[in-house]
Structures are given as C-alpha cells and as structure tokens.
Amino acid sequence: MTDWPEARSDDNRGGRYGRGSASARPEGARVMRQVRRGPAAPPGQGAYGGVPQQPSYVDGHGHGPDGYDSGYNTGQVYGTPGGGGPGGDGGYGPQRPAPDWRRRIKWTAITLVTVLVVTTVGTYFWADSKLNREVDLSKVIERPEKGSGTNYLIVGSDSRAGMSAEDKKRLRTGSAEGKRTDSMMILHTGDNGPTLISLPRDSNVEIPSFKGSESGKTYPATGRQVKLNAAYAEDGPELLVRTVEFNTGLYIDHYVEIGFAGFASIVDAVGGVEMDIPQDIKDTKSGADLKKGKQTLNGEEALAFVRTRYALAGSDLDRTKNQQKFLSALANQVATPSTVLNPFRLYPTMGAGLDSLIVDKDMGLFDLADMFWSMKGVSGGEGTSMNMPIAGSSGGNLLWDKAKVKQLVNQLNNDEKVTVKGN
C-alpha cells in the first residue's frame, strides 16, 4: 500500500486551494496553525496509520492565537450554525412540522358525530321496522271527541303464540287456545303528569254497536252486559277499544298489547326488575313462590307475580295494583343509563320488546318512547296510579262508580290534575 506523504508544501499545490479550485485559498487557511496533541507520530505515519492528524488549537476551544474560530470543536461545518447539518438546528435532515392539534380534534369530532348520526338513524329504522302494527283503529265507529293529552290503552294478553311446550310448562301458562286479556290499563300523558288507571278484567260493561274487525259488518247494540275482557275475546282489539270508549267517554289515541312470552323476554333482556314484594306470595295457578321484601325478579318470576290473584285478599283489584307497580318499575329499569348506554343490553331489550308488542297502525317509536317515559314518571312519583273507581259488584261483575268515572274522564279530557280517588 502506498503511504500518504507526511506533508505537502503550499508550493506543491500550485497556489490553489483544493483540487480543482480556481480560486486562492481562504485567508484564514493561510494563518491557521496546527498544534499536535501528545507525542508526534513517527515519520511517515500519521496518527491513523499514515493519515495526517486533524489540527487542534492553542486555547483548546478551537481558537488560534489570532482569534480564528474554525468551528471544528463545536461541530460547526462550513459555517453552519450550531454544528448541525443543512437544517441548521442540530438535527440530521429536515425537521417534521409540529402537528396541527386543532385540525386533528376537528376531524375527530366530525368523525364521531357522523358515526353517532349514522348509528342513530340506522337504529331508528331498524326498530321502526320491527313494530307489529296490526290494530286498525279506523275500524272503530262512533268515537268520542278527542280531549287534551294522549291516552294509551295498554293490554296484557294471555297469548301463547310462539311458545314451545317447554315454555308453557316453565311459565305455567297452560295451553288454552286463542287469547284473552289478562290486564287492561289506560295511561294518560299530558301537562299535569301521567295517570295510570287499571281497568279490572271483571268490570261490568255494555257492548255497544260495532263494526266487525274482519267481516266489516256492523252489529247493532243490544244492551248486553258482560265482563270487560269478553269484548276482546269476542272481536279483538278494535271491539275492546270501542267498548272502553263507549263506557268511559274517553278517546283512545293508541293501543299497545303484549303477550306472556314477550313480557318474560323483556324482563330477562333488561337483566331483571327489582321489586319490593309486599307479602309472601304462593300461588299454584300462576306459579308464584315469592318472599316478602326487595328482590330482583327474572322473567318467569315477574310473569307469575303480575298474574297472581287467588293468593291476594283483594283478588283482581290487588292484582291490578301489582301490575301497575311492576310495569312502572320495568319502564324505570329500561330507561336507566345501564340499559340505554349499554348496546349489549339495549339492543336485546329493544329486540325482545318490539318483537312481542302489537300496536295500532299510527303508533310510532316516539309515541312508544313517550309511553315508557310516562310510566317511568309514575314510578318516580311524578304521576298518579289508581284503579277505576268501583261502587260494588253484581253477579261477580265489578260495577264502576259512574259519578266518579265521569269526573275522572272530565279531568283527563281537560288535561287537569286528577283528584278522583280509585280503589
């Protein structure tokens, strides 16, 4: 290998600074002084095996005796400040621009809002498509004048549709054909708080003239006196609405019905409903076997609780009170943040409820939401719950107190605060 020469004189460079340069070397280069650090290398050998040593300066800080600052000790190369590369800030290569956090936050917010809107709209159309709008209230004839507020007729039927033999055995429903009303309530919503009124199934009513829901034939009034649940058994929801309107004078805006299986499914989907049972209840007919006190009822236990009447002193009147308490508690549970904000509980609850509800053709999701929130208000003390005022009984039928019923209906039609007391 050829050794590098120990040194070259300026004359050997032909008066040029650097190979290929046409200009004279810089002034500073002619006054730089080289100072060796440590012992000198043997002749013909640099500090790095023949490569000339790099210069150092008198004061140890890169300054020669004449004040020249070469910049070598500070890392400065060819006049670049701070010893950095072409970027001049001490880094290697160009620097990345600082992130625009305002822009990032803006687009994140837009994305979240878009997802929320799409999810909400999608959920609305999904839920709306699941409503079973089977009841046609336009078939109801000779309707009373509509008052203020909104009136819902809420019906619990003993329908066993969709239930397997195992379900019927587990829920103690029996296997009777067809369906009958097991409970009936009027929920009034307005500016003076909600009012929930139970209509005992054994209430004595008159069947008025009506148009057949299937035949379209008009049946004249004959003055027949029957129990209220017979109207449903005879010609379904339309005749029941017609009978309630005729005997009360109260216009029914919407109809909502739920069967045994749907009721139990909703309770299970929401994770059970906490109830304060007023007394020990054991009823072999409904299957109820409950102890007094606070407890969470599952679907099977809840259905047995709301169906029990033979184990209660007031029979059907006490049963309607339990039904009111439970439905209000169920609505309150459905409306809690743990259900509404938890999609793993909300969607199963909505699915179970919407699949099992039968409503009128004009019923919308907002109407359904209004009904549930109003029932929640009843349990929260913002409204009133009562039975239809009863004057006595005749032949096993409960007779309404006509004077109190008339006063109650006037207050509801005018959307006034209800002062009438029921049983």
Side-chain angles (χ1 to χ4, degrees):
M1 176 181 291
T2 305
D3 291 334
W4 287 93
E6 182 176 353
R8 293 184 179 180
S9 66
D10 289 347
D11 294 337
N12 291 336
R13 297 181 186 177
R16 296 178 296 171
Y17 180 71
R19 180 174 296 177
S21 174
S23 61
R25 58 185 174 179
E27 180 65 25
R30 292 196 294 269
V31 297
M32 288 173 56
R33 298 185 180 182
Q34 297 184 7
V35 179
R36 297 181 185 272
R37 291 180 179 170
Q45 296 183 7
Y48 299 94
V51 179
Q53 267 189 313
Q54 296 297 316
S56 60
Y57 304 96
V58 173
D59 62 0
H61 296 286
H63 293 84
D66 55 359
Y68 173 76
D69 180 3
S70 69
Y72 276 93
N73 282 6
T74 62
Q76 182 176 337
V77 179
Y78 294 106
T80 304
D89 58 358
Y92 295 91
Q95 295 296 303
R96 297 178 61 184
D100 187 345
W101 289 110
R102 293 182 61 183
R103 187 170 181 270
R104 290 188 180 185
I105 293 172
K106 171 187 173 181
W107 282 106
T108 299
I110 290 175
T111 301
L112 291 176
V113 170
T114 302
V115 171
L116 179 62
V117 170
V118 171
T119 302
T120 301
V121 172
T123 298
Y124 175 85
F125 283 104
W126 166 77
D128 188 72
S129 68
K130 293 179 75 67
L131 274 179
N132 300 306
R133 298 183 173 93
E134 300 178 6
V135 180
D136 189 356
L137 296 184
S138 68
K139 296 179 179 179
V140 180
I141 62 174
E142 301 175 19
R143 308 191 70 182
E145 184 179 352
K146 178 175 171 53
S148 301
T150 303
N151 299 313
Y152 299 88
L153 180 59
I154 304 171
V155 175
S157 77
D158 64 0
S159 172
R160 298 156 178 84
M163 296 178 65
S164 65
E166 183 180 348
D167 290 334
K168 294 175 184 178
K169 182 178 180 180
R170 176 175 58 87
L171 298 175
R172 304 285 187 93
T173 65
S175 300
E177 295 298 327
K179 59 181 182 179
R180 287 152 294 277
T181 51
D182 210 49
S183 62
M184 290 158 283
M185 303 178 191
I186 294 175
L187 174 66
H188 173 84
T189 64
D191 295 333
N192 284 289
T195 301
L196 186 60
I197 307 163
S198 284
L199 310 175
R201 57 182 289 179
D202 294 338
S203 297
N204 188 82
V205 296
E206 179 182 340
I207 298 292
S209 60
F210 68 96
K211 181 186 291 187
S213 59
E214 296 296 333
S215 66
K217 179 182 176 181
T218 299
Y219 296 87
T222 61
R224 283 187 300 143
Q225 304 289 312
V226 298
K227 292 182 178 180
L228 181 58
N229 66 342
Y232 182 96
E234 185 173 333
D235 199 45
E238 288 85 0
L239 180 54
L240 177 61
V241 171
R242 167 72 174 133
T243 303
V244 169
E245 290 186 341
F246 177 81
N247 286 269
T248 63
L250 195 64
Y251 183 94
I252 300 300
D253 295 278
H254 293 294
Y255 177 92
V256 181
E257 177 186 326
I258 186 170
F260 283 163
F263 180 84
S265 296
I266 293 175
V267 175
D268 286 334
V270 83
V273 176
E274 185 179 77
M275 286 293 297
D276 190 357
I277 308 298
Q279 64 183 71
D280 290 348
I281 299 177
K282 190 172 182 63
D283 185 356
T284 56
K285 291 186 177 293
S286 68
D289 187 7
L290 305 170
K291 299 298 181 182
K292 179 181 179 180
K294 285 187 176 182
Q295 54 201 284
T296 299
L297 304 183
N298 61 27
E300 180 181 346
E301 295 166 335
L303 183 59
F305 174 68
V306 299
R307 293 180 60 213
T308 295
R309 63 170 175 164
Y310 295 104
L312 305 176
S315 187
D316 200 39
L317 291 178
D318 281 350
R319 178 173 70 164
T320 56
K321 293 177 182 178
N322 286 342
Q323 290 171 346
Q324 288 179 347
K325 291 177 183 177
F326 186 85
L327 288 180
S328 296
L330 174 60
N332 186 69
Q333 178 66 25
V334 169
T336 57
S338 63
T339 299
V340 175
L341 300 179
N342 183 355
F344 297 102
R345 179 170 290 179
L346 175 63
Y347 285 96
T349 301
M350 291 178 63
L354 296 172
D355 279 339
S356 57
L357 291 179
I358 296 175
V359 300
D360 64 271
K361 293 184 180 298
D362 294 327
M363 186 81 163
L365 290 179
F366 290 108
D367 299 311
L368 197 60
D370 174 64
M371 185 190 79
F372 268 97
W373 280 104
S374 297
M375 291 182 68
K376 178 179 181 292
V378 172
S379 66
E382 301 170 5
T384 302
S385 61
M386 58 186 290
N387 275 320
M388 187 64 81
I390 303 297
S393 64
S394 175
N397 291 5
L398 297 174
L399 303 176
W400 292 354
D401 188 323
K402 293 185 178 180
K404 286 186 176 182
V405 169
K406 183 178 180 180
Q407 183 184 0
L408 172 63
V409 170
N410 284 337
Q411 290 177 341
L412 294 176
N413 276 332
N414 295 321
D415 200 20
E416 299 173 352
K417 185 174 180 60
V418 172
T419 58
V420 178
K421 303 297 182 183
N423 295 78

